Amino acid sequence: MFSINKTTVTPVQQDTRFVGRVKRVIFRNPDNGFSILDVETDHPEAQNGLVKVKGSSDLRPGNECECIGRFEHHPKHGYGFEARAIVPIIPDTDEGLVRYFNSGIVKGISGTMGKRLVDHFGTHALNLLSRADPALMAVPGVKDKTFERITEAWKQHEMVYRIMRALKEYDIGNADAWLIYKTWGEKALPTIKEHPYRLTSIRGISFAKADRVALSMNVDKDSRQRVLAGIRHVLSEAEDEGHTRLDWGVTRYRASKLLGIDPETVSETMISAVADDILAGYKIDEKAWVANKSMYDAEVRIAERIADIMVSAPPWEETPWTMPDGMDYSPSQRAAIQNAVTSKFMVMTGGPGTGKTTVTRSIIDILENQFNANVLLCAPTGRAAKRLSEATGRDASTIHMMLNYNPQQGFMYDAMNPLQCDAVVVDEASMLDTRLMRSVLNAIPNHAMVLLVGDADQLPSVGAGNLLHDLINSNRAPVARLTEIHRQAQDSRIITNSHAMNRGEMPVMSEDPNSDFSFHSMEKEGIPEHIVDLVTRVIPQTQGIDPNEVQVLTPMKGYECGTRALNVRLQEKINPPATEKPETHHGDAVYRLHDRVMQTRNDYKNNVFNGDMGKVIAVNPDEKLVTVQFDGHDRPVEIAGTQLDQLLHAYAVTVHKSQGSEYKAVVIPATTSHYVMLNRNLYYTAVTRGKKQVHMVGQPEAVRIAVSREGQARHTGLQLQLHGMLDPIQNASSTDDIPQAGVRAGRMNTP
């Protein structure tokens, strides 16, 4: 049984539990919080007063905690405690409370400030913090702003602590509790009690965790609430893989396996959910598919908006115009300009060296100078918008800024409040996902012209959908393909090799570090060290490029050639510790003055977005405060406490994170350790990020594997929506009315 009141839980089962104090953090994974701790305790199973505890935690040495789980013997790590929960304990002594603050567990109250509070009020300081009592102003250094900061910090910490204590039996750790609090605030516990499966909307909380909470609240195993939550989770996982729809049979199989129930029960719930307009079901050539209703509606809306925009002629249809003077356009470039000027909706695509930037600039010149049109320029990321602005000599913004995004209310510009413009140009359109594309088209007035510019051979969007491919392959809108490589670009090995790799051919490999494209062949063990040497010595000496202008691009976060390991090595060489460089720790990461960093989540308050890169210009260790000057931003941004979770070192970044960016020099590891990620789209995208130099380091076999493999096909419905070919499933009364998908062990079949 499970019941939530203020801070208590009736556990489902009894586990071993003990109280102790963290002596040492042996290991911590910064991505998921998994930790190995040495905990001091008087439990009988302790060895020399210590127990090795494994579980999710962000506790520091000195923190007292309650550990819940089981003692087990691991074949590799030996005897230890597998914790389902490691819950902090707020001390009830002055000495313990000082240690508590010193550990940094209260984000926003430094150890120095914590000691002052305890010296002045003892443990009574906690009551004063909870009440935001002005008596705290008597503590030295506590003025108006400090008072507001520390009382707000304690309010948040106390609420997170309550969430953790309430859910401690269910694997909800400190990091999860923080995200729950940030999402629902003080309504968190009532929300979980009423809608436990909404926990899956919290980043990092698995369906299994939410399911344990729900089942402990007496949610029936076969209940519609649980089965529907499982189906939605399966569809959301498919969206994480880039798909906007899923084979009916695959969905049924995966959900029944996830939930441990009969597939027929899943199918019956799917049928009723489709009938109730909660899910979308449709047939293609007598084969059934299912989608989350919001995703299905987004594709419907995109198709509707494109039709609405294309139905009328552009407002300048009768206005005479001429090609800009002084340009020697190729045939495909000239055709692209002609189509753009006479179309209401057009896609322009082409690889590196084909002149997308030149043509885009010429189209904008004609629209503004010959038609007096009001043209808005935008791109999915801040770096891409900055490049667009530099290339065109005009203001460009992120899509979120153009649509005036508000975290509470969404996009301020929409169908009811459209943009005031005559044309919209969206660059790096390969990065557009389905939901973002819907929002863009919703805000564009029917009279305006739309131009999408992008390289269809790059990696598709991180979010679900395959917009550029679907629009190009649908033949429902004009498409301009730039095919000729400029004469001046034909001498660039970066460009010729990227096109060769895109055709499935091996690049021309030269070991000359002075070449604009070089390949340094070696076994995987030597790759990390050679990458560091290239970045910190070879490229600066031979090319005069500062190490901070060399970008390492890697397929994955993990392994020795992943971002995590390479960032540690590169930080040590490029920005080593020094007495004049203050630093602060967050998890296993060390943020130091002059570090290169990247934002990994959208921060609308500070106008900083996922993928924005910058430099640490100040660090306050006492406050665990890092100040970052992001590229292209007028003013620096202060990031403190748990917000540091959204900041990563950027000496090495994933190829996905590099989309829309360009760097003077790029270094790319090539290793079979990244086998699962190797495909031609990924390496093609990585190589085309290099402006002056590209260095690939590692195993030629990894490149051969990559260029021989296309990226995973995405299952989307947009092309079919554009052609009106979907046949909605209506009035199905049983699974007999659903076409069989012919699924085998959950494998997905293409239409």
Side-chain angles (χ1 to χ4, degrees):
M1 294 288 292
F2 172 92
S3 62
I4 298 179
N5 51 38
K6 286 187 177 181
T7 58
T8 62
V9 167
T10 304
V12 174
Q13 60 180 25
Q14 293 296 321
D15 285 320
T16 300
R17 60 188 64 212
F18 64 86
V19 171
R21 179 185 299 163
V22 178
K23 182 177 182 181
R24 184 165 68 106
V25 178
I26 300 171
F27 170 80
R28 175 165 291 133
N29 184 327
D31 290 337
N32 58 22
F34 174 78
S35 303
I36 302 176
L37 312 172
D38 269 342
V39 177
E40 295 177 304
T41 178
D42 58 4
H43 192 277
E45 297 285 345
Q47 298 177 354
N48 298 319
L50 293 175
V51 171
K52 187 174 290 183
V53 177
K54 287 173 279 186
S56 178
S57 167
D58 70 345
L59 296 182
R60 278 86 162 170
N63 287 153
E64 296 175 20
C65 59
E66 179 184 9
C67 301
I68 304 166
R70 293 176 181 169
F71 284 95
E72 293 183 2
H73 189 277
H74 192 279
K76 181 179 179 181
H77 303 294
Y79 194 63
F81 192 79
E82 299 286 341
R84 288 196 300 106
I86 306 172
V87 187
I89 296 173
I90 299 177
D92 57 5
T93 66
D94 290 3
E95 180 186 359
L97 194 53
V98 169
R99 280 198 306 270
Y100 195 71
F101 286 126
N102 275 336
S103 72
I105 194 171
V106 184
K107 315 299 191 296
I109 302 181
S110 68
T112 303
M113 177 56 67
K115 187 174 188 309
R116 290 181 195 162
L117 293 169
V118 176
D119 286 347
H120 207 87
F121 293 110
T123 57
H124 183 57
L126 300 184
N127 294 327
L128 299 177
L129 285 167
S130 297
R131 299 198 306 262
D133 197 313
L136 293 167
M137 303 280 278
V139 175
V142 178
K143 305 300 180 186
D144 289 346
K145 286 188 177 180
T146 306
F147 173 78
E148 291 175 8
R149 176 173 55 77
I150 64 175
T151 53
E152 180 61 25
W154 182 255
K155 174 186 173 183
Q156 293 182 6
H157 180 77
E158 193 172 34
M159 189 63 212
V160 170
Y161 181 78
R162 286 178 57 200
I163 294 169
M164 248 179 101
R165 298 295 299 182
L167 302 176
K168 65 181 180 180
E169 311 292 340
Y170 306 100
D171 232 1
I172 303 296
N174 185 269
D176 294 333
W178 266 106
L179 289 173
I180 291 170
Y181 173 76
K182 285 172 67 176
T183 304
W184 295 315
E186 296 182 5
K187 296 180 180 178
L189 292 178
T191 298
I192 294 167
K193 185 175 182 180
E194 189 172 352
H195 305 289
Y197 288 104
R198 287 185 64 185
L199 281 168
T200 58
S201 66
I202 305 296
R203 181 179 56 85
I205 296 185
S206 66
F207 180 86
K209 284 185 182 182
D211 199 34
R212 279 197 295 272
V213 174
L215 291 173
S216 69
M217 296 171 64
N218 285 338
V219 171
D220 188 73
K221 189 176 182 181
D222 292 333
S223 69
R224 188 173 191 267
Q225 178 189 10
R226 181 172 186 263
V227 178
L228 186 56
I231 294 166
R232 282 174 154 170
H233 177 71
V234 167
L235 293 174
S236 293
E237 283 189 321
E239 290 179 15
D240 291 341
E241 296 169 5
H243 310 295
T244 65
R245 60 184 167 107
L246 196 58
D247 180 299
W248 187 284
V250 172
T251 308
R252 179 181 58 199
Y253 173 86
R254 292 183 181 178
S256 65
K257 187 176 180 181
L258 174 73
L259 298 166
I261 61 174
D262 185 83
E264 188 69 18
T265 303
V266 174
S267 210
E268 289 171 358
T269 302
M270 288 164 66
I271 290 170
S272 68
V274 168
D276 292 341
D277 216 25
I278 296 171
L279 299 177
Y282 51 87
K283 292 179 285 185
I284 307 168
D285 296 331
E286 292 306 310
K287 182 177 175 182
W289 297 81
V290 65
N292 273 316
K293 189 63 167 55
S294 62
M295 183 61 72
Y296 174 84
D297 288 345
E299 290 185 325
V300 170
R301 183 62 176 162
I302 290 170
E304 291 175 345
R305 291 297 300 131
I306 291 174
D308 291 343
I309 291 169
M310 291 181 64
V311 75
S312 62
W316 47 79
E317 183 182 30
E318 302 299 327
T319 305
W321 64 278
T322 58
M323 288 281 180
D325 294 331
M327 299 297 295
D328 182 18
Y329 297 111
S330 68
S332 64
Q333 290 176 332
R334 188 171 290 274
I337 295 171
Q338 176 75 34
N339 281 336
V341 172
T342 57
S343 301
K344 284 293 296 302
F345 187 99
M346 193 186 89
V347 176
M348 182 170 67
T349 186
T354 58
K356 292 192 301 296
T357 299
T358 298
V359 174
T360 301
R361 187 167 53 237
S362 296
I363 292 169
I364 297 169
D365 284 342
I366 293 169
L367 295 178
E368 289 186 340
N369 299 330
Q370 299 189 42
F371 299 149
N372 197 31
N374 177 19
V375 184
L376 298 180
L377 279 61
C378 65
T381 67
R383 291 180 69 84
K386 182 181 178 183
R387 284 183 61 201
L388 179 60
S389 181
E390 292 170 348
T392 61
R394 294 164 172 85
D395 290 337
S397 69
T398 64
I399 291 171
H400 283 75
M401 290 177 65
M402 180 182 75
L403 301 183
N404 193 13
Y405 184 81
N406 181 296
Q408 283 73 44
Q409 298 172 282
F411 293 107
M412 296 294 98
Y413 287 105
D414 55 18
M416 302 300 293
N417 181 35
L419 294 162
Q420 301 300 307
C421 64
D422 300 309
V424 175
V425 176
V426 184
D427 199 15
E428 297 292 349
S430 63
M431 300 174 68
L432 286 170
D433 62 43
T434 300
R435 289 193 168 94
L436 185 57
M437 182 63 169
R438 174 200 55 193
S439 297
V440 170
L441 294 180
N442 269 343
I444 294 175
N446 286 345
H447 76 270
M449 169 262 199
V450 179
L451 173 63
L452 304 182
V453 182
D455 186 344
D457 294 317
Q458 288 190 26
L459 287 169
S461 59
V462 174
N466 205 0
L467 264 297
L468 210 56
H469 271 274
D470 286 347
L471 289 169
I472 290 170
N473 295 332
S474 71
N475 295 318
R476 302 297 284 181
V479 176
R481 291 179 173 87
L482 304 184
T483 54
E484 300 96 342
I485 300 176
H486 287 181
R487 286 190 299 273
Q488 61 267 36
Q490 291 173 1
D491 295 330
S492 166
R493 281 195 177 176
I494 294 175
I495 290 175
T496 56
N497 274 336
S498 65
H499 282 278
M501 295 169 77
N502 195 41
R503 294 191 300 267
E505 302 169 5
M506 286 291 285
V508 176
M509 295 182 176
S510 165
E511 294 190 4
D512 180 6
N514 290 304
S515 170
D516 63 347
F517 186 105
S518 65
F519 193 96
H520 308 254
S521 180
M522 63 191 63
E523 291 304 311
K524 62 178 68 175
E525 291 79 11
I527 298 173
E529 185 176 346
H530 194 76
I531 286 175
V532 173
D533 188 50
L534 276 171
V535 173
T536 61
R537 185 184 66 83
V538 176
I539 296 176
Q541 287 182 5
T542 61
Q543 303 300 317
I545 298 175
D546 187 275
N548 282 297
E549 295 180 300
V550 181
Q551 186 61 60
V552 177
L553 302 179
T554 179
M556 301 176 71
K557 295 179 181 178
Y559 300 100
E560 284 301 303
C561 290
T563 57
R564 283 195 292 265
L566 288 175
N567 269 317
V568 172
R569 287 174 176 263
L570 289 164
Q571 182 194 34
E572 183 180 340
K573 281 286 188 179
I574 296 173
N575 191 29
T579 53
E580 69 275 12
K581 290 190 286 190
E583 61 184 44
T584 189
H585 293 247
H586 183 72
D588 284 349
V590 179
Y591 295 99
R592 187 175 296 134
L593 184 66
H594 308 317
D595 268 340
R596 277 169 61 191
V597 291
M598 172 181 277
Q599 180 80 5
T600 62
R601 289 178 228 154
N602 291 338
D603 179 356
Y604 300 103
K605 179 181 177 182
N606 289 306
N607 219 13
V608 178
F609 300 95
N610 186 0
D612 284 356
M613 295 176 68
K615 184 177 181 180
V616 175
I617 60 171
V619 177
N620 184 332
D622 288 340
E623 304 294 335
K624 292 192 176 294
L625 177 70
V626 174
T627 305
V628 179
Q629 181 63 60
F630 286 99
D631 298 343
H633 289 251
D634 295 332
R635 54 189 182 82
V637 176
E638 292 185 346
I639 304 172
T642 55
Q643 297 300 311
L644 288 172
D645 289 339
Q646 64 195 31
L647 203 63
L648 294 180
H649 290 95
Y651 302 102
V653 301
T654 62
V655 179
H656 280 87
K657 290 290 187 186
S658 75
Q659 286 180 271
S661 300
E662 191 176 62
Y663 312 97
K664 283 188 178 180
V666 164
V667 179
I668 308 164
T671 169
T672 54
S673 297
H674 293 158
Y675 180 85
V676 69
M677 293 292 293
L678 297 181
N679 63 68
R680 71 181 64 154
N681 303 90
L682 183 131
Y683 273 164
Y684 173 79
T685 302
V687 169
T688 55
R689 301 307 91 200
K691 189 174 182 180
K692 293 184 176 181
Q693 275 206 323
V694 171
H695 298 263
M696 297 190 79
V697 183
Q699 301 168 284
E701 178 62 20
V703 182
R704 277 191 284 272
I705 292 169
V707 299
S708 69
R709 298 163 71 187
E710 295 185 2
Q712 182 190 28
R714 292 191 169 191
H715 300 279
T716 64
L718 181 57
Q719 279 193 67
L720 299 157
Q721 294 285 8
L722 288 165
H723 286 277
M725 292 174 59
L726 296 184
D727 181 13
I729 294 172
Q730 297 174 333
N731 304 318
S733 58
S734 72
T735 54
D736 293 336
D737 298 326
I738 304 298
Q740 293 304 302
V743 65
R744 295 286 187 274
R747 291 175 62 85
M748 197 182 304
N749 298 315
T750 55

